[in-house]
Amino acid sequence: QTPKLLKRLFLFSYASAAPNNTDGRNQTVMFDTLEDWRDELERTKGNVKYRTVTTNEGYRVSEKLPLYFVVPICISEESILKYEGRGIPIWCWSCHNGAALLKMSAFPKEQDDSTSQMQKAFLDGIYKTICKPPYELLKMDDLSSSLPSLQDIQTAYTRFKQLFFIDNSTDFWATDVKWFSLLESTNWLEIIRRVLKKAIEVAECLERQHTNVLLIEESATDLCCVISSLVQVMMDSYSRTKSGFQSLIQKEWVVGGHGFLERCNHLRKSEKEEAPIFLLLLNCVWQLVQQYPPAFEFTETYLTVLSDSLYVPVFSTFFFNSQHQRDTSASGESLKTQSGPFRFLTVWDWSVQFDPKAQAFLNNPFYAEKPKPDKSQRKTARFKHQRQLSLPLTQPKPSTKRGFFREETDHLIKNILGKRIGKFINSSDEPPNSFREFYESWHSKPVDYHGLLLPRIDGPEIKVWAQRYLRWIPEAQLHGGGTIAITAKILDLMEEVQSLQVKMDEEHSQAVSGDVHSISTPRNSARLSSLFPFALLQRQSVKPALPTSTWKDLEDEDDLVKRDDEFVDLSGDM
């Protein structure tokens, strides 16, 4: 049954009976104390120009703001109290060069003249206080006018989801031949591209122009959260670790006041406020993860289970609109039960959902860990990166195989790679020359996986998050292929090298006595699905709705995965 009241959600029942022996924090900074904010300021070297304020203790300023937050030193307490926190630049993050990323909730647009004049004068005073050229430069960016509206995002995602509601094999193969057209018509990938482009523009201001950036939005809890989080993932290597990314979500989204309850429509009251804003962030982060895997401590599987956790009513992390709503709900239930402190569980304790073996899939074994600074060597070797565009036209041997992401026809390829990619690259909203120069200059150099990361956003570089959206479609699985097959093979080799090293050490230590045993290392490699670990390791072959002679030959086979590796032409003889 769909709960219509907040306290009828299962998380309230579960929290009252949840065990108290779980590690809720799990190295994740929760940003629910003054010390957490001060430590973050010190970590980013932002404590010179910014300070943590306690003005909102008891939520006397606003119930939408967190208990503690950071503002420029020059902002007075009276200014914060005047308009319930509106019009106040709130600190998000400081760059290594001193430039800072700020956000601000705007005043309502429909106001009477006298009120508008007072608010305008107030904002002018705030701007003059924090913008002091040439020493302190400030760029303001109204995200409500430069990015798609929440309604546009919801509409695009609704269309996008429909592509994956496939009931049978016949529907799959019927939509496969017009996949690219259907995908482009949803506009979801274009929205992801625009959001990533906006994040790059902000990164350019902070990194190259040394300019403070003030993100403005009506509530500063939706698109502000997306852009500020993306900028920090791109510019701060700490946010690319698992604990750092989780701390970032806590700071910008959970404590920052994103309305998860309304945006995810957990109570199913109204669809007017529903919008997949947090999923939009995860889709954008996934683009970075699949473009630069060694830069992230977590995997795409981590992002997938995190997106699933958005709807798991066991944790409180993604089920409240604000810190105030969460605190009042917890305190009210504690008085009601009178059985000790009422304790909501946090999603960051992954042991609640997964055993240690399953949690291993969340960690990236190829993560290029940041080396400890060596004072004797200032300049360290930088990682080299292969910059190879995955355009279908540039494949050395075009395959004649037809599949979910394969070529459809020669004519369609020309259409896709000609008109549509040209449309993406030369669109009217193309960034100015300074942006293009910054973008191309960065991509012409080797990547430092612990420095600035800029996503590739031109044309088909923006991809579909296959693991999340295709995992329940058997026909889209590729057994013994995909990135998981490469990963599994490399892990096997790494394990074998480590095993051989151990054996060599044992031989060296036993060489005197001559007690050396022969080493046998039989390896039984499973045929993993490309959508592993969500898809089954093996499944029965599914006959498509294509009367091909190839599939007639395969009908006698019990299981495709038992066959030797071979090329299967799904196009067949029509």
Side-chain angles (χ1 to χ4, degrees):
Q1 294 181 357
T2 303
K4 294 296 183 182
L5 296 176
L6 175 63
K7 293 185 179 180
R8 289 184 181 176
L9 286 171
F10 178 71
L11 70 92
F12 286 89
S13 301
Y14 189 84
S16 61
N20 293 322
N21 58 352
T22 57
D23 181 16
R25 286 183 176 266
N26 197 25
Q27 296 184 340
T28 301
V29 183
M30 306 302 284
F31 288 97
D32 53 1
T33 66
L34 194 63
E35 289 72 24
D36 288 345
W37 287 97
R38 287 174 175 170
D39 290 345
E40 179 69 1
L41 263 180
E42 185 177 353
R43 185 188 72 84
T44 60
K45 305 295 187 295
N47 49 2
V48 177
K49 303 176 184 178
Y50 300 90
R51 64 185 176 95
T52 308
V53 294
T54 59
T55 313
N56 200 36
E57 283 186 335
Y59 300 102
R60 62 193 186 101
V61 177
S62 173
E63 295 179 353
K64 296 181 179 180
L65 290 173
L67 279 176
Y68 312 104
F69 52 93
V70 178
V71 297
I73 290 179
C74 53
I75 300 295
S76 65
E77 184 173 335
E78 291 75 16
S79 299
I80 299 174
L81 289 167
K82 189 168 185 178
Y83 291 108
E84 298 182 345
R86 286 186 179 273
I88 298 298
I90 296 177
W91 176 88
C92 297
W93 179 75
S94 288
C95 186
H96 61 87
N97 57 25
L101 179 61
L102 309 166
K103 63 181 179 181
M104 185 180 75
S105 56
F107 290 109
K109 295 182 178 180
E110 296 181 0
Q111 300 274 5
D112 56 73
D113 292 340
S114 60
T115 304
S116 298
Q117 290 297 326
M118 291 175 59
Q119 293 173 351
K120 185 177 183 302
F122 175 77
L123 290 177
D124 289 341
I126 294 293
Y127 295 151
K128 291 177 182 178
T129 304
I130 61 178
C131 183
K132 299 177 180 179
Y135 308 105
E136 286 289 332
L137 301 177
L138 177 69
K139 178 184 178 181
M140 294 176 287
D141 196 332
D142 186 355
L143 299 182
S144 61
S145 60
S146 59
L147 288 177
S149 65
L150 301 187
Q151 185 60 46
D152 291 339
I153 295 173
Q154 171 66 10
T155 302
Y157 187 69
T158 301
R159 292 173 181 168
F160 178 73
K161 284 195 303 181
Q162 295 299 320
L163 298 181
F164 309 100
F165 294 157
I166 296 176
D167 295 330
N168 51 59
S169 183
T170 303
D171 292 345
F172 175 85
W173 294 106
T175 58
D176 190 46
V177 294
K178 49 185 179 181
W179 163 253
F180 288 113
S181 302
L182 293 172
L183 182 61
E184 185 187 10
S185 65
T186 66
N187 207 39
W188 176 245
L189 296 187
E190 174 64 12
I191 288 177
I192 292 175
R193 187 188 75 87
R194 289 182 61 182
V195 169
L196 288 171
K197 187 186 75 172
K198 174 59 66 177
I200 298 174
E201 290 175 359
V202 174
E204 181 200 9
C205 290
L206 295 170
E207 177 75 16
R208 189 168 75 165
Q209 301 177 13
H210 298 194
T211 301
N212 298 325
V213 178
L214 177 60
L215 304 176
I216 302 174
E217 193 183 15
E218 182 178 353
S219 63
T221 57
D222 289 306
L223 294 175
C224 277
C225 297
V226 176
I227 300 302
S228 62
S229 300
L230 273 178
V231 169
Q232 291 174 66
V233 169
M234 288 160 50
M235 301 187 69
D236 190 350
S237 61
Y238 170 70
S239 297
R240 301 195 284 267
T241 65
K242 193 163 73 170
S243 60
F245 185 72
Q246 293 173 174
S247 302
L248 173 65
I249 301 303
Q250 277 291 137
K251 179 180 68 171
E252 298 294 337
W253 295 79
V254 181
V255 176
H258 177 68
F260 285 103
L261 190 66
E262 293 180 350
R263 294 292 178 251
C264 298
N265 199 12
H266 287 309
L267 298 181
R268 299 298 173 200
K269 284 186 175 181
S270 172
E271 296 182 355
K272 292 182 179 179
E273 300 296 326
E274 186 175 0
I277 306 303
F278 187 66
L279 280 179
L280 176 61
L281 169 75
L282 296 183
N283 275 266
C284 292
V285 173
W286 179 85
Q287 303 292 332
L288 283 161
V289 169
Q290 63 96 19
Q291 289 180 16
Y292 308 108
F296 291 86
E297 190 182 30
F298 50 86
T299 61
E300 69 165 341
T301 302
Y302 168 85
L303 293 176
T304 303
V305 298
L306 181 58
S307 69
D308 291 341
S309 302
L310 194 61
Y311 301 97
V312 177
V314 169
F315 312 100
S316 65
T317 310
F318 303 132
F319 274 82
F320 292 105
N321 285 330
S322 64
Q323 186 181 11
H324 170 265
Q325 188 182 42
R326 180 186 183 279
D327 291 346
T328 52
S329 299
S331 60
E333 288 298 313
S334 296
L335 295 173
K336 192 177 296 184
T337 57
Q338 296 181 351
S339 59
F342 190 76
R343 183 174 173 274
F344 285 123
L345 293 186
T346 173
V347 73
W348 310 128
D349 185 4
W350 295 107
S351 64
V352 176
Q353 295 192 67
F354 307 108
D355 59 26
K357 187 176 180 181
Q359 290 183 55
F361 292 114
L362 311 182
N363 304 318
N364 181 13
F366 309 128
Y367 172 57
E369 206 165 342
K370 190 173 185 178
K372 295 181 179 180
D374 188 359
K375 295 182 179 179
S376 61
Q377 282 187 332
R378 294 285 182 179
K379 296 182 179 180
T380 58
R382 304 180 73 182
F383 296 97
K384 293 184 178 180
H385 180 70
Q386 295 180 352
R387 305 197 172 283
Q388 182 178 359
L389 298 178
S390 57
L391 295 175
L393 192 64
T394 61
Q395 291 181 353
K397 294 181 179 180
S399 170
T400 57
K401 179 179 178 180
R402 296 179 67 165
F404 211 72
F405 293 109
R406 293 289 181 181
E407 300 92 331
E408 298 167 332
T409 62
D410 291 340
H411 176 72
L412 183 57
I413 292 174
K414 293 178 181 179
N415 185 31
I416 294 280
L417 297 179
K419 297 179 181 178
R420 295 184 184 176
I421 293 178
K423 173 187 172 183
F424 284 144
I425 298 178
N426 302 312
S427 57
S428 58
D429 64 337
E430 187 64 12
N433 294 332
S434 62
F435 171 91
R436 177 53 60 177
E437 179 187 352
F438 174 72
Y439 177 81
E440 293 181 350
S441 173
W442 186 89
H443 280 283
S444 65
K445 301 172 184 176
V447 171
D448 177 6
Y449 288 122
H450 303 289
L452 173 67
L453 285 185
L454 296 186
R456 297 187 294 269
I457 60 173
D458 289 336
E461 296 291 353
I462 305 300
K463 304 179 186 299
V464 173
W465 186 356
Q467 188 191 64
R468 184 178 198 276
Y469 298 108
L470 297 176
R471 52 185 160 160
W472 313 128
I473 303 177
E475 290 82 1
Q477 299 175 26
L478 178 64
H479 291 273
T483 55
I484 187 64
I486 301 173
T487 303
K489 189 63 178 177
I490 295 176
L491 287 176
D492 284 346
L493 292 174
M494 289 171 60
E495 184 180 344
E496 189 172 356
V497 169
Q498 292 174 357
S499 176
L500 289 173
Q501 183 64 51
V502 171
K503 298 298 182 182
M504 288 175 63
D505 294 340
E506 291 178 355
E507 286 184 8
H508 180 72
S509 62
Q510 297 171 358
V512 178
S513 61
D515 184 17
V516 179
H517 301 282
S518 60
I519 306 171
S520 61
T521 56
R523 311 196 65 81
N524 183 18
S525 59
R527 293 289 301 276
L528 299 176
S529 165
S530 57
L531 302 179
F532 181 83
F534 298 97
L536 298 175
L537 294 180
Q538 296 183 353
R539 69 174 178 86
Q540 297 296 321
S541 60
V542 179
K543 180 181 178 180
L546 296 176
T548 60
S549 58
T550 305
W551 279 94
K552 290 179 181 179
D553 296 338
L554 295 177
E555 280 182 337
D556 295 333
E557 294 292 336
D558 294 332
D559 200 333
L560 252 182
V561 297
K562 296 178 182 177
R563 292 173 60 90
D564 295 333
D565 290 339
E566 61 180 348
F567 176 74
V568 180
D569 186 4
L570 294 183
S571 60
D573 301 323
M574 300 303 291

